[in-house]
Amino acid sequence: MDLTTITNPSFIKELDKDQLLDLAQDIRHFLIENLSVTGGHIGPNLGVVELTIALHRAFDSPTDKILWDVGHQSYVHKILTGRAGQFETLRKYKGLSGFPKMAESIHDVWETGHSSTSLSAAMGMAVARDIKHEKSYVVPVIGDGALTGGMALEALNHIGHEKTNITVILNDNEMSIAPNVGALHSILGKLRTDGKYNNVKDEMEYILRKIPAVGGRLATAAERVKDSLKYLVVNGVFFEELGFTYLGPINGHDFTELERSLQYAKKMEGPVLLHVITKKGKGYSPAELDKIGTWHGTGPYKIETGDFVKSPTKGPAWSALVSETVRKLAAKDKRIVAITPAMPVGSKLESFAAEFPERFFDVGIAEQHATTMAAGLAAAGMKPFLAIYSTFLQRSYDQMLHDITRQKLNVFIGIDRAGLVGADGETHHGVFDIAFLRHMPNLVIMMPKDENEGQHMVKTAVSYDKGPIAMRFPRGNGYGVPMDEELHTIQIGTWEVLKEGEDATILTFGTTIPMAFAAAEQLKQQGKHVSIVNARFIKPLDTDLLDELFKQGKPIITIEEAVLAGGFGSAILEYAEEVNHTSTIIERIGIPDEFIEHGNVEDLLLEIHMTPEHVAEITLAAIEQAASERETV
């Protein structure tokens, strides 16, 4: 079938079983071929092909609301709702999003990029439906990994208590990104192996109702007996105790079983949880055999071999540099413990885990728990390293404020993927952490100019014993600079002058330092010479150097790959106000007050006017304004 001819999913209802099997095969081939070029979340999507087809066959989207949690498994849904022809643009600038997107389709009813939100959203939609006396189904699809998130458990508790009509699809592939962990995962394992309860219950009810005259009464009277049967047949009764009717587990790749179970679920009153077992990566052996999450989301790859097409790099991956430096220091300091919320592969902590298994903790998709656990470890005298993506640290705001910074605990927070991240887009850009962390008392925030300074910052963070300290670092690789063999600490709150110039000063840090140098070169060709300062400590500021710059009176330009509102540039303005300094021109360049969508980072920077040319233009205008003001004095 030519998938690009699909305009909406209604055609699925007319297909017979053989045609459904053909459609599933066509979709898998399409995904494998297209994602080999664009990259993307191949493993999760190959695992939900039959499930997605079955959902669109059983329900009427968008009248019935299908919510995808986390949303990276929505590619099949996008194909069935008329977007196959756009897949060559997947995750590219101005192209198809890798997550559900309301602007793309009326069938995308909930936008997700972070896990564990679908059940709460579904509850809201179901309540709205009931208030408006509408007739529709609300169907959140949540993975077993996302189910470990505290928000999902809160929603399950509320839905079960209210007895709301919601059909929860638990997509159980035993993995989120890395293999799932925790007691809840163990409960699901028991249900996978012992899920015979509903079959037995159905057979009993069928037999009882066949008895003439008294069959109906007997069936009703036997409800308690049947319900108690689950304690004998099913080891885990977690969901039913929460108030859900539990169905399953069922084979998520069997259309007959899926259709029968979905129709059964539709007839039930109250909340239903359909436990579906799927195989992540099904249909493509490299992805099927993956046990650690390598094929969860990838760049381009060679279909025949499964080899990844790697872009040329100069330096080490930032995640690997930071985690390896922590590992080396942990060999000498038994206080060091590493914690990650379900990202051991992304944060490159495999070596640490292998060498120090008793000091490594993957807590699953539970960022709040990870953060407060780190606080508890620090309170007990340990030196925890919390490896967490910037976008996921957003979920731990209160734990950072209440549990770590307020108690002034010695936690080292490694903020991975700081700045624009590219293809994953607005839900994953790490551009908000400076703004939501900078106002927290007792917290040090820093970002290195290159990987050599990065390893020294790790040493600084581990050695720091006056409270929490956070180190931001970007996605991708370093520059390939020479690396010092001996590690040393950097004095907290000190900046570094990288280039001298008499006309203006650029204050920046991390990934935007090369942008500053490129702008300086353009200005030099116009006869203007600027200083460049590596403002590596975002908090505390180097107020000694700032005071000197204010005395010089030359314009100051700040650049940050982070939001301007409440960011580093704001901190400079605040300090100027604090010391009652008003004569220096201060211009800020950074992320504007809007969400930045997905695409190549260079394209995104160009769109928001963060380029060497724009920096040079702003700086030159400030220099000329300062000269004009001097002439009028």
Side-chain angles (χ1 to χ4, degrees):
M1 178 179 183
D2 181 359
L3 301 180
T4 63
T5 63
I6 297 173
T7 57
N8 65 73
S10 60
F11 77 98
I12 299 173
K13 300 179 187 296
E14 307 302 323
L15 302 183
D16 60 30
K17 185 174 180 180
D18 288 339
Q19 290 172 318
L20 290 175
L21 292 172
D22 289 341
L23 176 61
Q25 186 175 23
D26 290 342
I27 290 174
R28 281 202 169 87
H29 288 161
F30 179 88
L31 288 172
I32 293 168
E33 289 182 7
N34 278 268
L35 299 190
S36 72
V37 178
T38 64
H41 291 95
I42 183 168
N45 284 283
L46 290 177
V48 297
V49 174
E50 290 84 3
L51 174 59
T52 308
I53 294 171
L55 286 172
H56 278 292
R57 186 173 167 88
F59 298 100
D60 296 317
S61 176
T63 302
D64 296 329
K65 312 300 182 187
I66 302 175
L67 296 77
W68 299 94
D69 190 331
V70 174
H72 56 237
Q73 80 281 45
S74 63
Y75 295 4
V76 184
H77 165 78
K78 287 177 183 266
I79 292 169
L80 296 178
T81 52
R83 285 169 274 178
Q86 302 173 55
F87 258 72
E88 63 181 17
T89 72
L90 181 70
R91 293 163 29 105
K92 294 181 179 179
Y93 182 63
K94 301 297 185 183
L96 203 63
S97 172
F99 297 92
K101 192 79 172 171
M102 292 182 187
E104 283 183 9
S105 173
I106 59 173
H107 297 279
D108 291 2
V109 298
W110 180 249
E111 295 187 4
T112 42
H114 292 179
S115 75
S116 313
T117 66
S118 64
L119 300 183
S120 297
M123 181 60 169
M125 292 180 185
V127 168
R129 172 201 63 199
D130 296 343
I131 290 173
K132 293 188 287 185
H133 303 292
E134 295 175 347
K135 298 293 183 182
S136 63
Y137 294 95
V138 179
V139 189
V141 184
I142 186 168
D144 50 331
L147 202 62
T148 65
M151 186 176 176
L153 298 178
E154 292 171 14
L156 282 176
N157 181 59
H158 188 212
I159 293 167
H161 174 75
E162 296 288 346
K163 302 298 182 184
T164 308
N165 287 336
I166 293 176
T167 303
V168 176
I169 308 298
L170 173 55
N171 174 33
D172 182 0
N173 59 27
E174 305 187 54
M175 292 182 74
S176 48
I177 295 176
N180 290 319
V181 296
L184 184 57
H185 178 62
S186 298
I187 289 174
L188 294 175
K190 292 177 181 178
L191 291 171
R192 287 183 207 108
T193 56
D194 297 332
K196 304 298 183 183
Y197 162 58
N198 283 296
N199 290 339
V200 176
K201 185 176 178 179
D202 288 346
E203 290 171 9
M204 285 181 64
E205 183 166 357
Y206 176 78
I207 292 168
L208 287 169
R209 291 194 182 278
K210 283 290 185 180
I211 301 174
V214 297
R217 293 197 299 274
L218 280 175
T220 301
E223 279 297 322
R224 290 183 183 179
V225 177
K226 289 186 293 175
D227 286 338
S228 66
L229 183 65
K230 66 192 174 191
Y231 291 96
L232 301 175
V233 181
V234 181
N235 288 337
V237 291
F238 178 79
F239 299 110
E240 296 227 358
E241 293 298 336
L242 282 174
F244 283 74
T245 298
Y246 171 84
L247 303 177
I250 67 166
N251 182 352
H253 303 293
D254 184 316
F255 281 118
T256 300
E257 199 169 342
L258 281 167
E259 184 162 349
R260 181 175 63 243
S261 300
L262 286 169
Q263 292 303 322
Y264 189 17
K266 288 173 67 176
K267 295 175 183 177
M268 291 186 167
E269 286 295 316
V272 178
L273 187 137
L274 180 59
H275 185 182
V276 181
I277 308 298
T278 61
K279 177 69 175 176
K280 200 168 186 178
K282 184 173 177 59
Y284 185 53
S285 59
E288 277 196 41
L289 297 173
D290 175 31
K291 299 299 182 185
I292 61 173
T294 304
W295 282 88
H296 172 78
T298 75
Y301 54 89
K302 297 178 181 178
I303 296 175
E304 298 78 11
T305 63
D307 294 333
F308 296 119
V309 180
K310 297 182 179 180
S311 302
T313 57
K314 294 180 180 178
W318 274 103
S319 302
L321 170 86
V322 173
S323 63
E324 281 301 290
T325 307
V326 170
R327 183 188 64 80
K328 291 174 185 176
L329 294 170
K332 301 176 182 178
D333 188 344
K334 294 184 178 180
R335 299 177 306 151
I336 297 176
V337 175
I339 306 169
T340 178
M343 299 302 294
V345 178
S347 294
K348 306 297 183 187
L349 284 165
E350 303 101 309
S351 296
F352 187 103
E355 188 167 346
F356 309 110
E358 75 286 354
R359 286 193 270 157
F360 171 75
F361 299 93
D362 176 2
V363 303
I365 301 176
E367 294 87 357
Q368 294 167 297
H369 167 60
T371 305
T372 298
M373 179 181 171
L377 282 160
M382 303 298 282
K383 187 68 181 184
F385 167 56
L386 174 60
I388 189 167
Y389 289 13
S390 172
T391 185
F392 300 142
L393 185 61
Q394 293 165 189
R395 313 187 83 175
S396 298
Y397 174 86
D398 185 60
Q399 289 68 34
M400 282 292 301
L401 182 68
H402 183 273
D403 300 333
I404 292 181
T405 61
R406 186 182 59 84
Q407 299 187 95
K408 205 174 183 179
L409 294 170
N410 295 326
V411 178
F412 170 26
I413 305 104
I415 306 178
D416 200 344
R417 271 65 166 179
L420 296 171
V421 297
D424 279 340
E426 58 195 303
T427 58
H428 283 64
H429 291 313
V431 297
F432 299 101
D433 56 85
I434 293 176
F436 73 74
L437 292 176
R438 189 173 65 80
H439 60 252
M440 294 187 184
N442 302 323
L443 179 63
V444 173
I445 308 172
M446 55 188 179
M447 187 171 191
K449 69 177 185 292
D450 57 35
E451 59 267 39
N452 188 44
E453 187 171 65
Q455 66 172 346
H456 296 310
M457 279 193 175
V458 173
K459 170 68 173 176
T460 301
V462 171
S463 303
Y464 187 66
D465 61 359
K466 297 181 180 179
I469 185 167
M471 174 183 163
R472 309 176 78 239
F473 51 96
R475 184 178 183 274
N477 292 68
Y479 303 110
V481 301
M483 302 290 284
D484 298 334
E485 291 188 12
E486 292 293 324
L487 298 181
H488 63 77
T489 60
I490 302 170
Q491 185 179 344
I492 301 294
T494 59
W495 294 348
E496 176 188 28
V497 178
L498 302 175
K499 180 183 179 299
E500 297 281 4
E502 65 274 10
D503 294 311
T505 300
I506 297 176
L507 302 179
T508 190
F509 50 88
T511 54
T512 48
I513 288 177
M515 184 186 300
F517 271 96
E521 187 60 32
Q522 293 183 22
L523 289 164
K524 181 180 177 182
Q525 294 173 11
Q526 301 179 62
K528 305 300 181 184
H529 302 276
V530 300
S531 297
I532 297 176
V533 174
N534 173 21
R536 55 196 176 189
F537 285 94
I538 300 158
K539 183 181 180 181
L541 303 175
D542 188 339
T543 54
D544 290 340
L545 181 51
L546 266 180
D547 290 341
E548 179 60 31
L549 292 174
F550 287 163
K551 287 178 184 178
Q552 294 173 8
K554 57 187 179 181
I556 293 174
I557 314 298
T558 68
I559 313 174
E560 56 194 304
E561 197 175 306
V563 293
L564 286 171
F568 171 72
S570 294
I572 303 302
L573 290 173
E574 290 165 11
Y575 181 70
E577 187 273 336
E578 184 181 321
V579 298
N580 199 30
H581 181 81
T582 59
S583 59
T584 297
I585 296 171
I586 301 173
E587 296 284 354
R588 300 176 302 137
I589 298 172
I591 307 292
D593 188 23
E594 61 189 62
F595 287 104
I596 308 302
E597 297 198 359
H598 60 279
N600 180 279
V601 171
E602 288 70 26
D603 289 330
L604 298 177
L605 290 172
L606 179 62
E607 182 179 90
I608 59 176
H609 306 298
M610 283 191 67
T611 62
E613 292 75 17
H614 183 67
V615 172
E617 180 184 336
I618 294 293
T619 305
L620 182 60
I623 292 171
E624 291 174 347
Q625 180 184 343
S628 175
E629 290 176 356
R630 285 194 298 269
E631 290 174 2
T632 58
V633 173

